[in-house]
Amino acid sequence: RASAAGMLWRAELQSLGGLASLAFAAAVFIRPDFIGIETIIPPFSRGDRDSYLRATGGALRVFAPVYAGLTAIIILLFVLLGVPGLDATVLGLSLLASGGFLPSPMSTYPIAAMGPMLAAMVLGAINFVVLVRLVYRRHGRLRTKEDAETPVFFLVALLAAILFWGTVEGFSGTQFIVQMFNAVSVLSTNGMTIGAVPALVPVLVTAVIGGAAVSTAGGIKILRWIVTFRQAGTEIWKLGHPNGVVKGQRAANVLAIWMHFIAFTFLLGLLLVLVTFSGHSFDIGVTTAVAVVTNAGPLLSVASENVRDYNIFAPFLRAGLAFGMILGRLELVILLALINRSFWRI
């Protein structure tokens, strides 16, 4: 925030990172080998003898115009509502990318600016393939099956808002609106909070849930939770009906799902140990670990009112946290694929 150029550069990096995350997710992450189930797969094929770079490039070409158009609309809305041009640009670039960067305190913006902020965070957290499908609805290649993640996102956001609301003093309608903003912000892994700070545990759990599989949000991803709960329900039903036959169920690769959960938990625990062994409190350690792995950087401020910046950490620890951010963004399971030579085959 020291200069206009610095803020723009930071927001531009977040925006480019968001677009790259969308393309990479649609081309690689959404595959059954990584997500654990046969699901909505965008038509970005790598071909039999090509690397995933081809599929990623195809996703970029399709996603970029829609992504840029949504960013421009959000910036325009901010300007029309009286937000200064620089702040409007930074907010539009950052929030759609789930960057959570507020160039100025929330109190300096018109109250109506919360509308575009919420819209940008929601658009960044839901399945981007659904948004692209609305734009290219005449193109059969982008037709997809049902979208189970978006309804679940709104349901979890509502439940999280009620939970946040119950942990702060006062039950006014205004307070609920503020906590609804916080719930969407945390669930979309923007990570910023306004007003009264809710209890730490529900905030961290909400961040870990995260957004849709093909989105700019981090976290474990809603699709994995849906698959896990459906699979758990199927297994419980089988226990009660040993001779029953389950029809119409999608086969889930439970091993792939649990590999991700284990890798996610291992990375979370490792970062927690690193931070606490460096002399910081457990609250700061666990909040930092969740913020880093889910890419919800501003979430750090929830741990303590006195903590607003990662400069509280020593340089060597910041380097480790930066590496943890990369692992959290790419996911450890996909990272293992990246070091496989066949992944880069051309």
Side-chain angles (χ1 to χ4, degrees):
R1 297 181 178 85
S3 67
M7 289 192 293
L8 279 173
W9 178 238
R10 174 175 171 178
E12 287 169 3
L13 286 177
Q14 290 178 338
S15 182
L16 290 172
L19 177 59
S21 297
L22 290 174
F24 193 73
V28 182
F29 169 77
I30 200 64
R31 302 293 161 179
D33 292 344
F34 301 117
I35 201 66
I37 192 174
E38 291 283 354
T39 183
I40 299 174
I41 300 180
F44 305 117
S45 175
R46 67 171 183 165
D48 294 334
R49 297 185 178 181
D50 295 322
S51 72
Y52 277 107
L53 293 178
R54 173 184 174 182
T56 305
L60 277 173
R61 287 190 294 272
V62 174
F63 285 177
V66 180
Y67 188 80
L70 288 174
T71 303
I73 291 172
I74 293 167
I75 293 173
L76 179 61
L77 288 175
F78 280 127
V79 172
L80 293 176
L81 291 173
V83 177
L86 174 63
D87 287 37
T89 304
V90 170
L91 288 170
L93 291 170
S94 177
L95 297 184
L96 187 61
S98 298
F101 180 29
L102 287 178
S104 302
M106 189 69 180
S107 58
T108 62
Y109 302 128
I111 189 67
M114 287 183 64
M117 287 183 183
L118 278 170
M121 291 189 292
V122 169
L123 291 174
I126 64 176
N127 194 329
F128 199 76
V129 175
V130 175
L131 300 177
V132 174
R133 181 182 59 184
L134 294 175
V135 176
Y136 297 106
R137 58 184 180 276
R138 296 181 180 177
H139 295 259
R141 292 179 68 248
L142 285 169
R143 291 177 183 172
T144 56
K145 300 178 182 179
E146 77 278 1
D147 171 31
E149 291 180 287
T150 301
V152 173
F153 172 85
F154 287 111
L155 176 61
V156 174
L158 178 60
L159 294 176
I162 295 173
L163 191 58
F164 291 3
W165 190 38
T167 62
V168 298
E169 295 182 2
F171 290 91
S172 64
T174 303
Q175 188 66 259
F176 178 75
I177 294 174
V178 170
Q179 295 309 321
M180 189 70 208
F181 180 94
N182 289 341
V184 172
S185 174
V186 175
L187 187 61
S188 65
T189 64
N190 276 275
M192 57 188 184
T193 57
I194 61 175
V197 179
L200 183 61
V201 172
V203 170
L204 298 183
V205 171
T206 303
V208 168
I209 293 173
V214 183
S215 72
T216 59
I220 288 181
K221 306 295 186 183
I222 291 175
L223 184 58
R224 280 201 180 98
W225 293 107
I226 294 175
V227 173
T228 300
F229 281 110
R230 285 180 178 176
Q231 185 67 22
T234 300
E235 296 300 329
I236 292 173
W237 188 89
K238 286 180 179 179
L239 288 174
H241 305 78
N243 296 324
V245 178
V246 180
K247 295 182 179 181
Q249 296 291 325
R250 294 177 180 177
N253 184 351
V254 181
L255 179 60
I257 297 172
W258 283 114
M259 278 182 62
H260 176 77
F261 274 101
I262 292 171
F264 187 94
T265 305
F266 175 80
L267 180 58
L268 203 64
L270 178 61
L271 292 173
L272 172 60
V273 169
L274 287 176
V275 176
T276 52
F277 274 27
S278 298
H280 299 280
S281 68
F282 179 82
D283 283 358
I284 292 178
V286 69
T287 306
T288 302
V290 171
V292 166
V293 177
T294 63
N295 279 217
L299 199 66
L300 180 63
S301 62
V302 179
S304 172
E305 294 181 356
N306 300 321
V307 178
R308 294 289 177 183
D309 198 291
Y310 285 79
N311 278 327
I312 64 170
F313 302 120
F316 79 92
L317 182 55
R318 289 205 300 272
L321 294 178
F323 184 64
M325 293 175 192
I326 296 173
L327 296 181
R329 180 74 276 181
L330 289 178
E331 300 190 1
L332 289 177
V333 177
I334 295 180
L335 185 67
L336 295 176
L338 289 177
I339 61 177
N340 189 335
R341 187 172 61 181
S342 64
F343 182 92
W344 305 97
R345 183 179 52 210
I346 56 174

